[in-house]
PDB file of all heavy atoms in Angstrom:
ATOM      1  N   MET Y   1       5.472 -15.324 -12.576  1.00  0.00           N
ATOM      2  CA  MET Y   1       5.512 -14.687 -11.259  1.00  0.00           C
ATOM      3  C   MET Y   1       5.646 -15.721 -10.137  1.00  0.00           C
ATOM      4  O   MET Y   1       6.333 -15.485  -9.151  1.00  0.00           O
ATOM      5  CB  MET Y   1       4.248 -13.859 -11.048  1.00  0.00           C
ATOM      6  CG  MET Y   1       4.176 -12.624 -11.883  1.00  0.00           C
ATOM      7  SD  MET Y   1       2.555 -11.817 -11.671  1.00  0.00           S
ATOM      8  CE  MET Y   1       2.758 -10.381 -12.702  1.00  0.00           C
ATOM      9  N   ALA Y   2       4.984 -16.851 -10.296  1.00  0.00           N
ATOM     10  CA  ALA Y   2       4.959 -17.860  -9.237  1.00  0.00           C
ATOM     11  C   ALA Y   2       6.266 -18.630  -9.126  1.00  0.00           C
ATOM     12  O   ALA Y   2       6.637 -19.064  -8.033  1.00  0.00           O
ATOM     13  CB  ALA Y   2       3.808 -18.839  -9.470  1.00  0.00           C
ATOM     14  N   TYR Y   3       6.970 -18.822 -10.247  1.00  0.00           N
ATOM     15  CA  TYR Y   3       8.155 -19.678 -10.229  1.00  0.00           C
ATOM     16  C   TYR Y   3       9.444 -18.972 -10.635  1.00  0.00           C
ATOM     17  O   TYR Y   3      10.506 -19.572 -10.562  1.00  0.00           O
ATOM     18  CB  TYR Y   3       7.945 -20.884 -11.158  1.00  0.00           C
ATOM     19  CG  TYR Y   3       6.796 -21.760 -10.740  1.00  0.00           C
ATOM     20  CD1 TYR Y   3       5.610 -21.763 -11.475  1.00  0.00           C
ATOM     21  CD2 TYR Y   3       6.874 -22.584  -9.618  1.00  0.00           C
ATOM     22  CE1 TYR Y   3       4.545 -22.569 -11.107  1.00  0.00           C
ATOM     23  CE2 TYR Y   3       5.821 -23.379  -9.243  1.00  0.00           C
ATOM     24  CZ  TYR Y   3       4.658 -23.380  -9.984  1.00  0.00           C
ATOM     25  OH  TYR Y   3       3.606 -24.171  -9.617  1.00  0.00           O
ATOM     26  N   GLY Y   4       9.359 -17.744 -11.106  1.00  0.00           N
ATOM     27  CA  GLY Y   4      10.563 -17.025 -11.505  1.00  0.00           C
ATOM     28  C   GLY Y   4      11.255 -17.642 -12.709  1.00  0.00           C
ATOM     29  O   GLY Y   4      12.467 -17.519 -12.857  1.00  0.00           O
ATOM     30  N   ILE Y   5      10.498 -18.290 -13.571  1.00  0.00           N
ATOM     31  CA  ILE Y   5      11.117 -18.987 -14.701  1.00  0.00           C
ATOM     32  C   ILE Y   5      11.360 -18.043 -15.866  1.00  0.00           C
ATOM     33  O   ILE Y   5      10.761 -16.976 -15.959  1.00  0.00           O
ATOM     34  CB  ILE Y   5      10.279 -20.203 -15.144  1.00  0.00           C
ATOM     35  CG1 ILE Y   5       8.901 -19.785 -15.656  1.00  0.00           C
ATOM     36  CG2 ILE Y   5      10.174 -21.217 -14.023  1.00  0.00           C
ATOM     37  CD1 ILE Y   5       8.092 -20.927 -16.233  1.00  0.00           C
ATOM     38  N   ARG Y   6      12.262 -18.449 -16.729  1.00  0.00           N
ATOM     39  CA  ARG Y   6      12.588 -17.690 -17.929  1.00  0.00           C
ATOM     40  C   ARG Y   6      11.427 -17.742 -18.927  1.00  0.00           C
ATOM     41  O   ARG Y   6      10.669 -18.705 -18.958  1.00  0.00           O
ATOM     42  CB  ARG Y   6      13.815 -18.283 -18.610  1.00  0.00           C
ATOM     43  CG  ARG Y   6      15.087 -18.107 -17.855  1.00  0.00           C
ATOM     44  CD  ARG Y   6      16.252 -18.734 -18.630  1.00  0.00           C
ATOM     45  NE  ARG Y   6      17.496 -18.464 -17.943  1.00  0.00           N
ATOM     46  CZ  ARG Y   6      17.999 -19.242 -16.994  1.00  0.00           C
ATOM     47  NH1 ARG Y   6      17.388 -20.349 -16.653  1.00  0.00           N
ATOM     48  NH2 ARG Y   6      19.127 -18.912 -16.402  1.00  0.00           N
ATOM     49  N   GLY Y   7      11.382 -16.741 -19.794  1.00  0.00           N
ATOM     50  CA  GLY Y   7      10.394 -16.736 -20.858  1.00  0.00           C
ATOM     51  C   GLY Y   7      10.525 -17.956 -21.754  1.00  0.00           C
ATOM     52  O   GLY Y   7       9.531 -18.529 -22.192  1.00  0.00           O
ATOM     53  N   MET Y   8      11.753 -18.385 -22.014  1.00  0.00           N
ATOM     54  CA  MET Y   8      11.957 -19.561 -22.859  1.00  0.00           C
ATOM     55  C   MET Y   8      11.459 -20.830 -22.183  1.00  0.00           C
ATOM     56  O   MET Y   8      11.060 -21.779 -22.857  1.00  0.00           O
ATOM     57  CB  MET Y   8      13.427 -19.713 -23.256  1.00  0.00           C
ATOM     58  CG  MET Y   8      13.856 -18.729 -24.338  1.00  0.00           C
ATOM     59  SD  MET Y   8      12.796 -18.739 -25.824  1.00  0.00           S
ATOM     60  CE  MET Y   8      13.099 -20.378 -26.452  1.00  0.00           C
ATOM     61  N   SER Y   9      11.462 -20.860 -20.858  1.00  0.00           N
ATOM     62  CA  SER Y   9      10.904 -22.020 -20.154  1.00  0.00           C
ATOM     63  C   SER Y   9       9.391 -22.062 -20.333  1.00  0.00           C
ATOM     64  O   SER Y   9       8.803 -23.144 -20.408  1.00  0.00           O
ATOM     65  CB  SER Y   9      11.263 -21.978 -18.670  1.00  0.00           C
ATOM     66  OG  SER Y   9      12.659 -22.127 -18.503  1.00  0.00           O
ATOM     67  N   VAL Y  10       8.775 -20.905 -20.412  1.00  0.00           N
ATOM     68  CA  VAL Y  10       7.335 -20.837 -20.690  1.00  0.00           C
ATOM     69  C   VAL Y  10       7.076 -21.336 -22.101  1.00  0.00           C
ATOM     70  O   VAL Y  10       6.175 -22.144 -22.338  1.00  0.00           O
ATOM     71  CB  VAL Y  10       6.800 -19.396 -20.514  1.00  0.00           C
ATOM     72  CG1 VAL Y  10       5.354 -19.294 -20.980  1.00  0.00           C
ATOM     73  CG2 VAL Y  10       6.937 -18.944 -19.074  1.00  0.00           C
ATOM     74  N   VAL Y  11       7.883 -20.873 -23.048  1.00  0.00           N
ATOM     75  CA  VAL Y  11       7.737 -21.264 -24.454  1.00  0.00           C
ATOM     76  C   VAL Y  11       7.864 -22.776 -24.604  1.00  0.00           C
ATOM     77  O   VAL Y  11       7.115 -23.400 -25.352  1.00  0.00           O
ATOM     78  CB  VAL Y  11       8.822 -20.545 -25.305  1.00  0.00           C
ATOM     79  CG1 VAL Y  11       8.943 -21.162 -26.685  1.00  0.00           C
ATOM     80  CG2 VAL Y  11       8.524 -19.057 -25.390  1.00  0.00           C
ATOM     81  N   GLU Y  12       8.803 -23.388 -23.880  1.00  0.00           N
ATOM     82  CA  GLU Y  12       9.085 -24.818 -24.027  1.00  0.00           C
ATOM     83  C   GLU Y  12       8.193 -25.718 -23.175  1.00  0.00           C
ATOM     84  O   GLU Y  12       8.277 -26.937 -23.281  1.00  0.00           O
ATOM     85  CB  GLU Y  12      10.549 -25.085 -23.682  1.00  0.00           C
ATOM     86  CG  GLU Y  12      11.493 -24.446 -24.687  1.00  0.00           C
ATOM     87  CD  GLU Y  12      12.949 -24.549 -24.292  1.00  0.00           C
ATOM     88  OE1 GLU Y  12      13.236 -25.001 -23.160  1.00  0.00           O
ATOM     89  OE2 GLU Y  12      13.795 -24.181 -25.106  1.00  0.00           O
ATOM     90  N   LEU Y  13       7.343 -25.137 -22.349  1.00  0.00           N
ATOM     91  CA  LEU Y  13       6.459 -25.944 -21.515  1.00  0.00           C
ATOM     92  C   LEU Y  13       5.493 -26.732 -22.399  1.00  0.00           C
ATOM     93  O   LEU Y  13       4.784 -26.158 -23.221  1.00  0.00           O
ATOM     94  CB  LEU Y  13       5.672 -25.050 -20.548  1.00  0.00           C
ATOM     95  CG  LEU Y  13       4.782 -25.783 -19.542  1.00  0.00           C
ATOM     96  CD1 LEU Y  13       5.630 -26.558 -18.537  1.00  0.00           C
ATOM     97  CD2 LEU Y  13       3.890 -24.779 -18.817  1.00  0.00           C
ATOM     98  N   CYS Y  14       5.491 -28.047 -22.218  1.00  0.00           N
ATOM     99  CA  CYS Y  14       4.634 -28.917 -23.020  1.00  0.00           C
ATOM    100  C   CYS Y  14       3.511 -29.479 -22.160  1.00  0.00           C
ATOM    101  O   CYS Y  14       3.620 -29.517 -20.926  1.00  0.00           O
ATOM    102  CB  CYS Y  14       5.449 -30.061 -23.627  1.00  0.00           C
ATOM    103  SG  CYS Y  14       6.604 -29.482 -24.884  1.00  0.00           S
ATOM    104  N   LEU Y  15       2.472 -29.912 -22.818  1.00  0.00           N
ATOM    105  CA  LEU Y  15       1.307 -30.445 -22.104  1.00  0.00           C
ATOM    106  C   LEU Y  15       1.700 -31.569 -21.150  1.00  0.00           C
ATOM    107  O   LEU Y  15       1.193 -31.637 -20.024  1.00  0.00           O
ATOM    108  CB  LEU Y  15       0.259 -30.925 -23.110  1.00  0.00           C
ATOM    109  CG  LEU Y  15      -0.360 -29.832 -23.985  1.00  0.00           C
ATOM    110  CD1 LEU Y  15      -1.162 -30.450 -25.118  1.00  0.00           C
ATOM    111  CD2 LEU Y  15      -1.211 -28.888 -23.149  1.00  0.00           C
ATOM    112  N   GLU Y  16       2.632 -32.435 -21.555  1.00  0.00           N
ATOM    113  CA  GLU Y  16       3.034 -33.555 -20.702  1.00  0.00           C
ATOM    114  C   GLU Y  16       3.939 -33.138 -19.541  1.00  0.00           C
ATOM    115  O   GLU Y  16       4.221 -33.949 -18.658  1.00  0.00           O
ATOM    116  CB  GLU Y  16       3.692 -34.671 -21.527  1.00  0.00           C
ATOM    117  CG  GLU Y  16       4.853 -34.231 -22.370  1.00  0.00           C
ATOM    118  CD  GLU Y  16       4.442 -33.713 -23.761  1.00  0.00           C
ATOM    119  OE1 GLU Y  16       3.238 -33.533 -24.037  1.00  0.00           O
ATOM    120  OE2 GLU Y  16       5.353 -33.482 -24.568  1.00  0.00           O
ATOM    121  N   ASP Y  17       4.383 -31.875 -19.506  1.00  0.00           N
ATOM    122  CA  ASP Y  17       5.206 -31.388 -18.391  1.00  0.00           C
ATOM    123  C   ASP Y  17       4.364 -31.083 -17.152  1.00  0.00           C
ATOM    124  O   ASP Y  17       4.907 -30.871 -16.069  1.00  0.00           O
ATOM    125  CB  ASP Y  17       5.980 -30.130 -18.794  1.00  0.00           C
ATOM    126  CG  ASP Y  17       7.007 -30.408 -19.874  1.00  0.00           C
ATOM    127  OD1 ASP Y  17       7.441 -31.575 -20.003  1.00  0.00           O
ATOM    128  OD2 ASP Y  17       7.377 -29.461 -20.597  1.00  0.00           O
ATOM    129  N   ILE Y  18       3.069 -31.040 -17.323  1.00  0.00           N
ATOM    130  CA  ILE Y  18       2.173 -30.789 -16.190  1.00  0.00           C
ATOM    131  C   ILE Y  18       1.565 -32.124 -15.796  1.00  0.00           C
ATOM    132  O   ILE Y  18       0.849 -32.747 -16.571  1.00  0.00           O
ATOM    133  CB  ILE Y  18       1.069 -29.778 -16.550  1.00  0.00           C
ATOM    134  CG1 ILE Y  18       1.696 -28.471 -17.047  1.00  0.00           C
ATOM    135  CG2 ILE Y  18       0.159 -29.534 -15.340  1.00  0.00           C
ATOM    136  CD1 ILE Y  18       0.706 -27.510 -17.663  1.00  0.00           C
ATOM    137  N   ASP Y  19       1.893 -32.555 -14.579  1.00  0.00           N
ATOM    138  CA  ASP Y  19       1.360 -33.816 -14.062  1.00  0.00           C
ATOM    139  C   ASP Y  19       0.190 -33.468 -13.147  1.00  0.00           C
ATOM    140  O   ASP Y  19       0.377 -33.119 -11.975  1.00  0.00           O
ATOM    141  CB  ASP Y  19       2.445 -34.587 -13.315  1.00  0.00           C
ATOM    142  CG  ASP Y  19       1.994 -35.962 -12.864  1.00  0.00           C
ATOM    143  OD1 ASP Y  19       0.771 -36.192 -12.717  1.00  0.00           O
ATOM    144  OD2 ASP Y  19       2.876 -36.817 -12.654  1.00  0.00           O
ATOM    145  N   TRP Y  20      -1.009 -33.532 -13.706  1.00  0.00           N
ATOM    146  CA  TRP Y  20      -2.207 -33.126 -12.962  1.00  0.00           C
ATOM    147  C   TRP Y  20      -2.479 -34.075 -11.802  1.00  0.00           C
ATOM    148  O   TRP Y  20      -2.982 -33.648 -10.766  1.00  0.00           O
ATOM    149  CB  TRP Y  20      -3.411 -33.053 -13.899  1.00  0.00           C
ATOM    150  CG  TRP Y  20      -3.235 -32.024 -14.981  1.00  0.00           C
ATOM    151  CD1 TRP Y  20      -2.901 -32.242 -16.280  1.00  0.00           C
ATOM    152  CD2 TRP Y  20      -3.330 -30.600 -14.834  1.00  0.00           C
ATOM    153  NE1 TRP Y  20      -2.805 -31.055 -16.957  1.00  0.00           N
ATOM    154  CE2 TRP Y  20      -3.072 -30.027 -16.092  1.00  0.00           C
ATOM    155  CE3 TRP Y  20      -3.622 -29.763 -13.766  1.00  0.00           C
ATOM    156  CZ2 TRP Y  20      -3.085 -28.656 -16.317  1.00  0.00           C
ATOM    157  CZ3 TRP Y  20      -3.645 -28.383 -13.990  1.00  0.00           C
ATOM    158  CH2 TRP Y  20      -3.376 -27.845 -15.244  1.00  0.00           C
ATOM    159  N   GLN Y  21      -2.159 -35.349 -11.948  1.00  0.00           N
ATOM    160  CA  GLN Y  21      -2.400 -36.333 -10.886  1.00  0.00           C
ATOM    161  C   GLN Y  21      -1.536 -36.051  -9.657  1.00  0.00           C
ATOM    162  O   GLN Y  21      -1.996 -36.180  -8.521  1.00  0.00           O
ATOM    163  CB  GLN Y  21      -2.118 -37.753 -11.397  1.00  0.00           C
ATOM    164  CG  GLN Y  21      -2.996 -38.190 -12.553  1.00  0.00           C
ATOM    165  CD  GLN Y  21      -4.467 -38.215 -12.166  1.00  0.00           C
ATOM    166  OE1 GLN Y  21      -4.821 -38.645 -11.080  1.00  0.00           O
ATOM    167  NE2 GLN Y  21      -5.315 -37.745 -13.050  1.00  0.00           N
ATOM    168  N   ARG Y  22      -0.284 -35.676  -9.900  1.00  0.00           N
ATOM    169  CA  ARG Y  22       0.648 -35.413  -8.786  1.00  0.00           C
ATOM    170  C   ARG Y  22       0.736 -33.928  -8.435  1.00  0.00           C
ATOM    171  O   ARG Y  22       1.470 -33.556  -7.538  1.00  0.00           O
ATOM    172  CB  ARG Y  22       2.031 -35.938  -9.138  1.00  0.00           C
ATOM    173  CG  ARG Y  22       2.106 -37.442  -9.192  1.00  0.00           C
ATOM    174  CD  ARG Y  22       3.552 -37.898  -9.405  1.00  0.00           C
ATOM    175  NE  ARG Y  22       3.648 -39.333  -9.380  1.00  0.00           N
ATOM    176  CZ  ARG Y  22       3.540 -40.119 -10.454  1.00  0.00           C
ATOM    177  NH1 ARG Y  22       3.327 -39.586 -11.649  1.00  0.00           N
ATOM    178  NH2 ARG Y  22       3.652 -41.420 -10.347  1.00  0.00           N
ATOM    179  N   SER Y  23       0.049 -33.100  -9.199  1.00  0.00           N
ATOM    180  CA  SER Y  23       0.095 -31.639  -9.022  1.00  0.00           C
ATOM    181  C   SER Y  23       1.529 -31.119  -9.058  1.00  0.00           C
ATOM    182  O   SER Y  23       1.985 -30.407  -8.165  1.00  0.00           O
ATOM    183  CB  SER Y  23      -0.579 -31.222  -7.715  1.00  0.00           C
ATOM    184  OG  SER Y  23      -1.954 -31.479  -7.783  1.00  0.00           O
ATOM    185  N   THR Y  24       2.247 -31.488 -10.131  1.00  0.00           N
ATOM    186  CA  THR Y  24       3.613 -31.007 -10.318  1.00  0.00           C
ATOM    187  C   THR Y  24       3.765 -30.431 -11.720  1.00  0.00           C
ATOM    188  O   THR Y  24       2.961 -30.704 -12.618  1.00  0.00           O
ATOM    189  CB  THR Y  24       4.653 -32.137 -10.135  1.00  0.00           C
ATOM    190  OG1 THR Y  24       4.413 -33.155 -11.102  1.00  0.00           O
ATOM    191  CG2 THR Y  24       4.629 -32.695  -8.721  1.00  0.00           C
ATOM    192  N   ILE Y  25       4.817 -29.649 -11.873  1.00  0.00           N
ATOM    193  CA  ILE Y  25       5.140 -29.057 -13.165  1.00  0.00           C
ATOM    194  C   ILE Y  25       6.640 -29.200 -13.377  1.00  0.00           C
ATOM    195  O   ILE Y  25       7.430 -28.939 -12.470  1.00  0.00           O
ATOM    196  CB  ILE Y  25       4.667 -27.583 -13.246  1.00  0.00           C
ATOM    197  CG1 ILE Y  25       4.878 -27.004 -14.637  1.00  0.00           C
ATOM    198  CG2 ILE Y  25       5.324 -26.729 -12.183  1.00  0.00           C
ATOM    199  CD1 ILE Y  25       4.164 -25.676 -14.864  1.00  0.00           C
ATOM    200  N   LEU Y  26       7.025 -29.652 -14.557  1.00  0.00           N
ATOM    201  CA  LEU Y  26       8.426 -29.825 -14.920  1.00  0.00           C
ATOM    202  C   LEU Y  26       8.892 -28.579 -15.648  1.00  0.00           C
ATOM    203  O   LEU Y  26       8.295 -28.183 -16.662  1.00  0.00           O
ATOM    204  CB  LEU Y  26       8.599 -31.043 -15.832  1.00  0.00           C
ATOM    205  CG  LEU Y  26       9.975 -31.196 -16.480  1.00  0.00           C
ATOM    206  CD1 LEU Y  26      11.013 -31.605 -15.442  1.00  0.00           C
ATOM    207  CD2 LEU Y  26       9.924 -32.201 -17.618  1.00  0.00           C
ATOM    208  N   ILE Y  27       9.942 -27.963 -15.124  1.00  0.00           N
ATOM    209  CA  ILE Y  27      10.560 -26.820 -15.784  1.00  0.00           C
ATOM    210  C   ILE Y  27      11.852 -27.333 -16.404  1.00  0.00           C
ATOM    211  O   ILE Y  27      12.748 -27.799 -15.695  1.00  0.00           O
ATOM    212  CB  ILE Y  27      10.846 -25.664 -14.793  1.00  0.00           C
ATOM    213  CG1 ILE Y  27       9.586 -25.276 -14.005  1.00  0.00           C
ATOM    214  CG2 ILE Y  27      11.445 -24.470 -15.528  1.00  0.00           C
ATOM    215  CD1 ILE Y  27       8.407 -24.843 -14.833  1.00  0.00           C
ATOM    216  N   ARG Y  28      11.929 -27.273 -17.713  1.00  0.00           N
ATOM    217  CA  ARG Y  28      13.078 -27.826 -18.438  1.00  0.00           C
ATOM    218  C   ARG Y  28      14.327 -26.971 -18.222  1.00  0.00           C
ATOM    219  O   ARG Y  28      14.233 -25.765 -17.994  1.00  0.00           O
ATOM    220  CB  ARG Y  28      12.769 -27.926 -19.922  1.00  0.00           C
ATOM    221  CG  ARG Y  28      11.635 -28.892 -20.197  1.00  0.00           C
ATOM    222  CD  ARG Y  28      11.223 -28.854 -21.659  1.00  0.00           C
ATOM    223  NE  ARG Y  28      10.049 -29.659 -21.862  1.00  0.00           N
ATOM    224  CZ  ARG Y  28      10.070 -30.958 -22.137  1.00  0.00           C
ATOM    225  NH1 ARG Y  28      11.210 -31.592 -22.223  1.00  0.00           N
ATOM    226  NH2 ARG Y  28       8.943 -31.615 -22.317  1.00  0.00           N
ATOM    227  N   ALA Y  29      15.479 -27.628 -18.326  1.00  0.00           N
ATOM    228  CA  ALA Y  29      16.768 -26.959 -18.142  1.00  0.00           C
ATOM    229  C   ALA Y  29      16.991 -25.912 -19.224  1.00  0.00           C
ATOM    230  O   ALA Y  29      16.649 -26.117 -20.385  1.00  0.00           O
ATOM    231  CB  ALA Y  29      17.890 -27.987 -18.167  1.00  0.00           C
ATOM    232  N   ARG Y  30      17.571 -24.792 -18.827  1.00  0.00           N
ATOM    233  CA  ARG Y  30      17.934 -23.719 -19.750  1.00  0.00           C
ATOM    234  C   ARG Y  30      19.315 -23.219 -19.377  1.00  0.00           C
ATOM    235  O   ARG Y  30      19.695 -23.256 -18.202  1.00  0.00           O
ATOM    236  CB  ARG Y  30      16.962 -22.534 -19.655  1.00  0.00           C
ATOM    237  CG  ARG Y  30      15.547 -22.816 -20.043  1.00  0.00           C
ATOM    238  CD  ARG Y  30      15.288 -22.984 -21.515  1.00  0.00           C
ATOM    239  NE  ARG Y  30      15.876 -21.905 -22.275  1.00  0.00           N
ATOM    240  CZ  ARG Y  30      16.267 -22.031 -23.535  1.00  0.00           C
ATOM    241  NH1 ARG Y  30      16.147 -23.150 -24.158  1.00  0.00           N
ATOM    242  NH2 ARG Y  30      16.792 -21.021 -24.174  1.00  0.00           N
ATOM    243  N   LYS Y  31      20.057 -22.738 -20.347  1.00  0.00           N
ATOM    244  CA  LYS Y  31      21.357 -22.105 -20.124  1.00  0.00           C
ATOM    245  C   LYS Y  31      22.283 -22.954 -19.263  1.00  0.00           C
ATOM    246  O   LYS Y  31      22.905 -22.463 -18.327  1.00  0.00           O
ATOM    247  CB  LYS Y  31      21.181 -20.730 -19.480  1.00  0.00           C
ATOM    248  CG  LYS Y  31      20.654 -19.671 -20.400  1.00  0.00           C
ATOM    249  CD  LYS Y  31      20.714 -18.337 -19.701  1.00  0.00           C
ATOM    250  CE  LYS Y  31      20.535 -17.200 -20.651  1.00  0.00           C
ATOM    251  NZ  LYS Y  31      20.692 -15.920 -19.973  1.00  0.00           N
ATOM    252  N   GLY Y  32      22.335 -24.230 -19.494  1.00  0.00           N
ATOM    253  CA  GLY Y  32      23.244 -25.087 -18.735  1.00  0.00           C
ATOM    254  C   GLY Y  32      22.773 -25.393 -17.330  1.00  0.00           C
ATOM    255  O   GLY Y  32      23.500 -25.990 -16.538  1.00  0.00           O
ATOM    256  N   GLY Y  33      21.556 -24.991 -17.008  1.00  0.00           N
ATOM    257  CA  GLY Y  33      21.017 -25.272 -15.673  1.00  0.00           C
ATOM    258  C   GLY Y  33      20.517 -26.701 -15.601  1.00  0.00           C
ATOM    259  O   GLY Y  33      20.941 -27.568 -16.362  1.00  0.00           O
ATOM    260  N   LYS Y  34      19.616 -26.936 -14.701  1.00  0.00           N
ATOM    261  CA  LYS Y  34      19.065 -28.279 -14.564  1.00  0.00           C
ATOM    262  C   LYS Y  34      17.551 -28.193 -14.506  1.00  0.00           C
ATOM    263  O   LYS Y  34      16.998 -27.213 -14.043  1.00  0.00           O
ATOM    264  CB  LYS Y  34      19.631 -28.959 -13.325  1.00  0.00           C
ATOM    265  CG  LYS Y  34      19.529 -28.143 -12.062  1.00  0.00           C
ATOM    266  CD  LYS Y  34      20.308 -28.780 -10.938  1.00  0.00           C
ATOM    267  CE  LYS Y  34      20.352 -27.823  -9.773  1.00  0.00           C
ATOM    268  NZ  LYS Y  34      21.157 -28.279  -8.695  1.00  0.00           N
ATOM    269  N   GLU Y  35      16.914 -29.262 -15.002  1.00  0.00           N
ATOM    270  CA  GLU Y  35      15.460 -29.240 -14.934  1.00  0.00           C
ATOM    271  C   GLU Y  35      15.028 -29.497 -13.501  1.00  0.00           C
ATOM    272  O   GLU Y  35      15.747 -30.094 -12.712  1.00  0.00           O
ATOM    273  CB  GLU Y  35      14.844 -30.229 -15.913  1.00  0.00           C
ATOM    274  CG  GLU Y  35      15.158 -31.668 -15.698  1.00  0.00           C
ATOM    275  CD  GLU Y  35      14.530 -32.540 -16.780  1.00  0.00           C
ATOM    276  OE1 GLU Y  35      14.462 -32.118 -17.953  1.00  0.00           O
ATOM    277  OE2 GLU Y  35      14.137 -33.649 -16.450  1.00  0.00           O
ATOM    278  N   VAL Y  36      13.852 -28.992 -13.203  1.00  0.00           N
ATOM    279  CA  VAL Y  36      13.348 -29.084 -11.846  1.00  0.00           C
ATOM    280  C   VAL Y  36      11.850 -29.386 -11.893  1.00  0.00           C
ATOM    281  O   VAL Y  36      11.143 -28.892 -12.769  1.00  0.00           O
ATOM    282  CB  VAL Y  36      13.662 -27.783 -11.051  1.00  0.00           C
ATOM    283  CG1 VAL Y  36      12.984 -26.579 -11.654  1.00  0.00           C
ATOM    284  CG2 VAL Y  36      13.319 -27.918  -9.597  1.00  0.00           C
ATOM    285  N   VAL Y  37      11.413 -30.233 -10.972  1.00  0.00           N
ATOM    286  CA  VAL Y  37       9.990 -30.540 -10.835  1.00  0.00           C
ATOM    287  C   VAL Y  37       9.494 -29.797  -9.598  1.00  0.00           C
ATOM    288  O   VAL Y  37      10.049 -29.950  -8.507  1.00  0.00           O
ATOM    289  CB  VAL Y  37       9.747 -32.058 -10.687  1.00  0.00           C
ATOM    290  CG1 VAL Y  37       8.270 -32.336 -10.448  1.00  0.00           C
ATOM    291  CG2 VAL Y  37      10.248 -32.795 -11.919  1.00  0.00           C
ATOM    292  N   LEU Y  38       8.462 -28.984  -9.783  1.00  0.00           N
ATOM    293  CA  LEU Y  38       7.944 -28.147  -8.701  1.00  0.00           C
ATOM    294  C   LEU Y  38       6.480 -28.478  -8.441  1.00  0.00           C
ATOM    295  O   LEU Y  38       5.782 -28.967  -9.336  1.00  0.00           O
ATOM    296  CB  LEU Y  38       8.060 -26.667  -9.101  1.00  0.00           C
ATOM    297  CG  LEU Y  38       9.472 -26.164  -9.364  1.00  0.00           C
ATOM    298  CD1 LEU Y  38       9.439 -24.795 -10.012  1.00  0.00           C
ATOM    299  CD2 LEU Y  38      10.266 -26.122  -8.063  1.00  0.00           C
TER     300      LEU Y  38
END
């Protein structure tokens, strides 16, 4: 709901994709898109 990401992006989210120190989250590229850090 917060990021509008695909279900597969949720499935592929790994522990190291969450940077707790910088308060960011990496959303991996899907369907030819591009990854984004939010």
Side-chain angles (χ1 to χ4, degrees):
M1 289 174 178
Y3 298 107
I5 63 174
R6 291 180 175 88
M8 284 307 295
S9 294
V10 172
V11 166
E12 293 173 353
L13 184 68
C14 291
L15 295 169
E16 55 273 9
D17 294 337
I18 304 169
D19 185 337
W20 298 102
Q21 299 298 319
R22 291 186 177 91
S23 293
T24 61
I25 186 167
L26 170 72
I27 307 302
R28 296 173 187 272
R30 296 287 311 153
K31 287 188 166 184
K34 51 189 171 185
E35 63 182 36
V36 62
V37 176
L38 299 169

